[in-house]
Amino acid sequence: MEQWNIWLDRDLWLGIGIVLVATAVIYTVLRTVVSTLHKRLLAWSKGQESNWPHFLAMVIGRTSRLLLLAFSLLLALRLPELPGNWQSALSHTWFVALALQIALWVDAGVRLWSRSLVTGKNGGSFNPVMTTIVSIMVLIVVWSVMLLSILANLGVDITALVASLGVGGIAVALAVQTVLSDVFASLSIGVDKPFEIGDFVVFGEVAGSIEHIGLKTTRIRSLSGEQVVCANADLLKQVVHNYKRMNTRRIVFKFGINFDTPSDKVRQVSEKVGDIIRATPNTRFDRAHFLGFDESQLTFEVVYIVQGSDYNQYMDIQQEINLQLLDALRELDVRFAMPRRDLRLVGDRMPELRVAGVPQPVEQEGREANQRLPRFN
């Protein structure tokens, strides 16, 4: 009978009614405030997803209705007088609800941030692999701290749990250290950006365009057509030449003319080369010099700058320079050097020469005879 009398107590039902009504009122007020703030921030953002009002609006939009109801109930339960053990339980419930809601807000903020970096809505270009790794690491830390905080607030001893997680983490790290080295190398590529997708790179014997930068490997489409897969850690250990970021191209080429060219025409050759390059579009002339005497030619060295990084453009320019150089040397009556050898024969007689098997007379001139036989390759 006493138990039934407790449930028939008028004050008990009055308190329950007050709590329910207060919970409904408080929930309605909180829900209205959150909804109004969300709409106002969206209106301030003016549809631009890259500004702070839109970011805050999306974070506030992740407010949980269930947690709002829990907050409303907790606020309403403070109206009636409760026993001491109830007050202690309510204090723990407050912390759990608040920790969960903060974790939801931070989770939403991190996801929006990483998505904006990947889609380029912030005006920059970021490696999607790097942003994904960073966002996952931040979310793991956030939810781990939230869980450990809730357990500690509920009176659970988390010292042994933290120690176990530390030992287990070390064991896992030792077991997958090769994979982790590639993952952190991928993170380094995303932060430092030595190359990006679409860049043309050369390292070692590999030359090609970057197709994909993954967590463990980077894939490169080589000039010969096959795909080259290289571990990120091994790739960062090498010297990588990134030709995509080359603004200009310095070109050095040589050519040779005959030894019997007069000195005044040799000077004119240098001037002609300079005039040709200056008249060629997208080039900047540097120098053209008579470099020296080689085995069978007078060697010229020419240096100029191509105002661009495209290789096909450079080849078109070099072809045009070569064609105009041919015409200019013909106008000067200067010939390109041809390889030749001088043979000196020493003896009493010249060897018998045969042409098509028929002996030919050879004229003797003293004990030493010289014969110059040009040979072209």
Side-chain angles (χ1 to χ4, degrees):
M1 293 296 296
E2 293 181 358
Q3 295 179 352
W4 286 104
N5 290 332
I6 294 175
W7 288 105
L8 295 176
D9 188 359
R10 179 181 177 183
D11 294 335
L12 175 63
W13 287 106
L14 181 61
I16 293 175
I18 293 174
V19 169
L20 292 177
V21 173
T23 300
V25 173
I26 295 173
Y27 175 77
T28 303
V29 172
L30 291 178
R31 182 63 184 166
T32 303
V33 170
V34 171
S35 178
T36 303
L37 184 59
H38 178 71
K39 292 179 180 178
R40 290 289 180 87
L41 289 173
L42 285 178
W44 289 344
S45 66
K46 298 179 180 180
Q48 298 180 1
E49 299 183 4
S50 59
N51 53 22
W52 280 104
H54 184 272
F55 180 82
L56 292 177
M58 298 305 294
V59 171
I60 293 176
R62 285 295 303 273
T63 303
S64 174
R65 295 185 180 183
L66 181 61
L67 292 178
L68 274 183
L69 181 61
F71 279 120
S72 303
L73 179 61
L74 292 173
L75 288 174
L77 287 175
R78 299 180 67 89
L79 298 177
E81 294 184 1
L82 299 175
N85 56 347
W86 281 61
Q87 295 289 347
S88 178
L90 287 177
S91 64
H92 292 304
T93 308
W94 270 102
F95 184 83
V96 172
L98 183 61
L100 286 173
Q101 186 56 68
I102 292 176
L104 287 175
W105 284 336
V106 175
D107 183 280
V110 172
R111 293 179 187 275
L112 288 172
W113 169 76
S114 62
R115 191 183 308 162
S116 66
L117 294 182
V118 172
T119 57
K121 293 179 180 179
N122 60 342
S125 58
F126 291 86
N127 186 352
V129 177
M130 183 269 294
T131 56
T132 302
I133 294 175
V134 172
S135 62
I136 291 176
M137 293 175 62
V138 172
L139 291 178
I140 291 176
V141 171
V142 168
W143 286 103
S144 299
V145 170
M146 183 272 298
L147 179 60
L148 293 176
S149 300
I150 290 176
L151 292 177
N153 187 264
L154 294 176
V156 178
D157 186 9
I158 63 173
T159 305
L161 178 61
V162 173
S164 300
L165 291 176
V167 174
I170 294 174
V172 172
L174 292 175
V176 295
Q177 56 182 343
T178 303
V179 177
L180 289 178
S181 64
D182 290 325
V183 171
F184 282 106
S186 175
L187 183 61
S188 176
I189 292 173
V191 174
D192 192 47
K193 296 183 181 179
F195 49 80
E196 297 176 344
I197 296 176
D199 289 359
F200 184 84
V201 298
V202 175
F203 61 93
E205 299 179 355
V206 178
S209 300
I210 302 294
E211 280 193 340
H212 176 74
I213 303 174
L215 290 176
K216 190 178 187 305
T217 61
T218 295
R219 300 166 195 170
I220 302 169
R221 182 66 60 181
S222 68
L223 290 176
S224 55
E226 75 274 12
Q227 188 181 73
V228 180
V229 181
C230 182
N232 293 326
D234 296 336
L235 183 58
L236 290 184
K237 294 178 182 178
Q238 305 187 50
V239 177
V240 179
H241 301 266
N242 192 338
Y243 286 91
K244 182 68 176 295
R245 300 177 183 177
M246 181 174 60
N247 296 324
T248 60
R249 186 185 294 267
R250 184 176 183 267
I251 307 300
V252 180
F253 72 94
K254 297 179 181 180
F255 66 93
I257 60 177
N258 282 335
F259 265 114
D260 54 1
T261 305
S263 60
D264 58 336
K265 290 190 176 181
V266 173
R267 291 189 178 92
Q268 294 180 32
V269 169
S270 297
E271 297 174 358
K272 282 289 186 180
V273 173
D275 295 338
I276 291 172
I277 296 178
R278 291 188 188 94
T280 304
N282 299 321
T283 60
R284 179 168 57 86
F285 177 70
D286 189 0
R287 60 182 178 85
H289 291 100
F290 170 38
L291 181 62
F293 303 91
D294 282 341
E295 184 177 357
S296 59
Q297 66 180 16
L298 303 177
T299 303
F300 284 81
E301 184 178 70
V302 183
V303 180
Y304 69 95
I305 308 299
V306 177
Q307 304 292 345
S309 60
D310 185 66
Y311 186 80
N312 290 333
Q313 180 190 28
Y314 148 64
M315 291 302 299
D316 292 339
I317 290 174
Q318 185 63 53
Q319 176 179 262
E320 184 62 26
I321 292 174
N322 292 339
L323 293 174
Q324 294 188 34
L325 184 58
L326 282 173
D327 296 336
L329 292 184
R330 288 193 182 100
E331 292 177 1
L332 293 174
D333 195 20
V334 174
R335 295 183 178 181
F336 283 103
M338 300 295 292
R340 77 180 196 182
R341 296 290 184 271
D342 292 340
L343 301 180
R344 175 167 296 184
L345 304 176
V346 180
D348 293 338
R349 327 178 31 178
M350 291 291 295
E352 182 178 337
L353 299 179
R354 291 177 176 268
V355 178
V358 179
Q360 301 293 324
V362 179
E363 183 177 344
Q364 288 189 350
E365 297 182 357
R367 295 179 56 87
E368 179 176 331
N370 296 330
Q371 182 180 23
R372 176 170 294 180
L373 301 175
R375 185 180 62 185
F376 301 97
N377 293 332

